[in-house]
Amino acid sequence: MDISVQLYSIRQRLTDDPTAALARLAEIGFTQVEPFALMDHVEMLREQLPMHGLTAPSTHASLVTSEDPARVFEAAASLGVRTVIDPYVDREKWNQVPDIKATADRLNELAGIAAEHGVNVGYHNHDFEARPIFEGRCGLEVLADHLDPRVVLELDTFWCAVGGTDPAELLGRLGQRVQLLHLKDGPFEGSTADQQPLGQGDMDVPSVLAAADWIQTGVIEFDDYSGDVLEAIARSYAQLGEFQRGGAR
């Protein structure tokens, strides 16, 4: 599994000094990153990623609500992105099966447009898609029932657990529909500022990794952090490498 990092984790550092921020990620050992809000950062990424020996095989960008998704896919392809992932569909759209099916229909439509530009479409969850409210199944499972085979999932394992569904068990049910993981740690209740480096919170990361040995990319992310986030990312990177080598939690 390749190790990437979601650039949303260092959003303020990128605003203040993108060169220094990306240089630090490369120094930690990253060769891959996952941008957020792609269309706001295309030119910065085009300049900065090669400067630091970084690639972006996946990215987040609003797709379901986009009025010009082809422009998003064109920009992604120009940066060498393989998978464009919609990171959010409004939480009110996950309470009823017809609404979830409508989201699947839109993602399926987008997959066809994306294919014209040589990229794939994905979807990333938060906690509300992982609530087991459909006779024990969660909204992400209902979504998968209606997805075109070309649409992949990026399972945010932390938010899955917060939503009430065991991520390792869900990976067993969703199978290879999931091609990327978001890996983060911390308490399942409380503020996102309480998130911690991998191995220091409530997540059982080794069980997640063991449940999905086919995963292409594991993406380290902090939604927020009360300390030095780049130091926390470095600790997560080292710990994830240890987990992959079979080290204990």
Side-chain angles (χ1 to χ4, degrees):
M1 182 182 72
D2 295 328
I3 303 177
S4 182
V5 59
Q6 169 52 245
L7 293 182
Y8 184 79
S9 308
I10 59 165
R11 53 198 178 276
Q12 189 58 54
R13 302 288 188 106
L14 281 177
T15 298
D16 295 342
D17 189 341
T19 300
L22 293 173
R24 176 61 180 136
L25 292 179
E27 182 182 82
I28 290 168
F30 289 100
T31 60
Q32 298 183 1
V33 298
E34 183 176 78
F36 68 103
L38 175 66
M39 299 309 289
D40 294 337
H41 302 109
V42 171
E43 295 311 315
M44 180 274 287
L45 294 166
R46 195 184 312 281
E47 175 188 5
Q48 292 282 336
L49 293 184
M51 186 184 304
H52 303 287
L54 298 169
T55 62
S58 62
T59 187
H60 282 193
S62 295
L63 294 174
V64 170
T65 58
S66 175
E67 295 182 358
D68 190 3
R71 179 169 169 263
V72 178
F73 298 135
E74 181 178 7
S78 75
L79 293 172
V81 172
R82 298 193 301 268
T83 306
V84 183
I85 300 160
D86 195 310
Y88 180 84
V89 168
D90 190 273
R91 65 177 57 241
E92 299 304 319
K93 299 293 187 182
W94 295 91
N95 297 321
Q96 303 290 334
V97 170
D99 288 336
I100 297 173
K101 185 177 183 302
T103 296
D105 289 344
R106 176 58 173 157
L107 290 169
N108 295 341
E109 177 186 16
L110 290 162
I113 302 170
E116 297 174 3
H117 297 273
V119 299
N120 300 316
V121 166
Y123 183 75
H124 161 278
N125 64 286
H126 291 81
D127 60 316
F128 44 87
E129 301 98 328
R131 295 171 299 169
I133 60 174
F134 300 98
E135 299 182 349
R137 303 175 80 230
C138 68
L140 209 56
E141 291 174 271
V142 177
L143 180 75
D145 290 343
H146 300 286
L147 286 178
D148 184 296
R150 294 175 294 183
V151 181
V152 303
L153 296 176
E154 177 178 63
L155 184 67
D156 189 307
T157 58
F158 177 83
W159 286 121
C160 180
V162 171
T165 296
D166 182 284
E169 293 180 3
L170 184 59
L171 282 164
R173 298 196 294 271
L174 291 175
Q176 296 196 24
R177 172 73 71 177
V178 180
Q179 289 296 315
L180 305 97
L181 298 178
H182 265 203
L183 298 166
K184 64 185 74 164
D185 209 340
F188 293 154
E189 296 182 3
S191 167
T192 54
D194 295 330
Q195 289 179 1
Q196 296 295 320
L198 295 179
Q200 297 186 18
D202 293 340
M203 284 293 299
D204 184 355
V205 179
S207 74
V208 169
L209 298 179
D213 59 5
W214 66 85
I215 292 296
Q216 296 177 351
T217 307
V219 184
I220 293 169
E221 184 185 34
F222 287 82
D223 295 295
D224 203 353
Y225 187 64
S226 58
D228 183 337
V229 70
L230 280 166
E231 177 59 28
I233 288 169
R235 290 160 69 186
S236 286
Y237 180 88
Q239 183 61 70
L240 184 53
E242 183 66 21
F243 285 150
Q244 288 190 284
R245 290 187 292 270
R249 175 181 166 83

Short mmCIF file of all heavy atoms in Angstrom, two decimals, residues 1 171 181 207-215:
data_model
loop_
_atom_site.label_atom_id
_atom_site.label_comp_id
_atom_site.label_asym_id
_atom_site.label_seq_id
_atom_site.Cartn_x
_atom_site.Cartn_y
_atom_site.Cartn_z
N MET A 1 0.84 -1.19 0.00
CA MET A 1 0.00 0.00 0.00
C MET A 1 0.88 1.25 0.00
O MET A 1 1.76 1.41 0.83
CB MET A 1 -0.90 0.00 1.24
CG MET A 1 -1.86 1.17 1.31
SD MET A 1 -2.85 1.15 2.83
CE MET A 1 -1.60 1.61 4.04
N LEU A 171 -15.22 -3.05 5.36
CA LEU A 171 -14.33 -3.38 4.26
C LEU A 171 -14.58 -4.80 3.76
O LEU A 171 -14.54 -5.06 2.56
CB LEU A 171 -12.87 -3.23 4.70
CG LEU A 171 -12.35 -1.80 4.75
CD1 LEU A 171 -11.07 -1.72 5.57
CD2 LEU A 171 -12.12 -1.27 3.34
N LEU A 181 -7.99 4.38 1.40
CA LEU A 181 -8.40 4.55 2.79
C LEU A 181 -7.92 5.90 3.31
O LEU A 181 -6.80 6.33 2.99
CB LEU A 181 -7.77 3.47 3.68
CG LEU A 181 -8.11 2.01 3.42
CD1 LEU A 181 -7.34 1.13 4.40
CD2 LEU A 181 -9.61 1.76 3.57
N SER A 207 -6.17 -3.77 12.43
CA SER A 207 -7.29 -4.60 11.98
C SER A 207 -7.86 -4.08 10.67
O SER A 207 -8.30 -4.86 9.82
CB SER A 207 -8.39 -4.66 13.05
OG SER A 207 -9.11 -3.44 13.13
N VAL A 208 -7.83 -2.77 10.49
CA VAL A 208 -8.30 -2.18 9.23
C VAL A 208 -7.39 -2.61 8.09
O VAL A 208 -7.84 -3.04 7.02
CB VAL A 208 -8.35 -0.64 9.34
CG1 VAL A 208 -8.57 -0.01 7.97
CG2 VAL A 208 -9.45 -0.21 10.31
N LEU A 209 -6.08 -2.50 8.30
CA LEU A 209 -5.13 -2.87 7.26
C LEU A 209 -5.22 -4.35 6.93
O LEU A 209 -5.14 -4.75 5.77
CB LEU A 209 -3.71 -2.52 7.71
CG LEU A 209 -3.43 -1.03 7.98
CD1 LEU A 209 -1.99 -0.86 8.44
CD2 LEU A 209 -3.71 -0.18 6.75
N ALA A 210 -5.42 -5.18 7.96
CA ALA A 210 -5.51 -6.62 7.73
C ALA A 210 -6.76 -6.99 6.95
O ALA A 210 -6.79 -8.01 6.24
CB ALA A 210 -5.50 -7.36 9.08
N ALA A 211 -7.82 -6.18 7.08
CA ALA A 211 -9.09 -6.48 6.42
C ALA A 211 -9.09 -6.13 4.94
O ALA A 211 -10.01 -6.52 4.22
CB ALA A 211 -10.23 -5.73 7.12
N ALA A 212 -8.08 -5.40 4.49
CA ALA A 212 -8.12 -4.89 3.10
C ALA A 212 -6.72 -4.87 2.52
O ALA A 212 -6.15 -3.80 2.27
CB ALA A 212 -8.74 -3.50 3.08
N ASP A 213 -6.17 -6.05 2.24
CA ASP A 213 -4.80 -6.10 1.75
C ASP A 213 -4.69 -5.71 0.28
O ASP A 213 -3.58 -5.68 -0.27
CB ASP A 213 -4.18 -7.48 1.99
CG ASP A 213 -4.97 -8.61 1.32
OD1 ASP A 213 -5.93 -8.33 0.59
OD2 ASP A 213 -4.61 -9.79 1.55
N TRP A 214 -5.83 -5.42 -0.36
CA TRP A 214 -5.79 -5.02 -1.77
C TRP A 214 -5.69 -3.49 -1.95
O TRP A 214 -5.55 -3.01 -3.07
CB TRP A 214 -7.08 -5.48 -2.47
CG TRP A 214 -8.30 -4.79 -1.94
CD1 TRP A 214 -8.81 -3.56 -2.33
CD2 TRP A 214 -9.17 -5.26 -0.90
NE1 TRP A 214 -9.94 -3.26 -1.60
CE2 TRP A 214 -10.18 -4.28 -0.73
CE3 TRP A 214 -9.20 -6.42 -0.13
CZ2 TRP A 214 -11.21 -4.43 0.21
CZ3 TRP A 214 -10.21 -6.56 0.80
CH2 TRP A 214 -11.20 -5.58 0.96
N ILE A 215 -5.78 -2.74 -0.87
CA ILE A 215 -5.88 -1.29 -0.97
C ILE A 215 -4.67 -0.70 -1.68
O ILE A 215 -3.52 -1.04 -1.39
CB ILE A 215 -6.03 -0.66 0.44
CG1 ILE A 215 -7.38 -1.03 1.05
CG2 ILE A 215 -5.87 0.85 0.39
CD1 ILE A 215 -8.58 -0.49 0.30
#
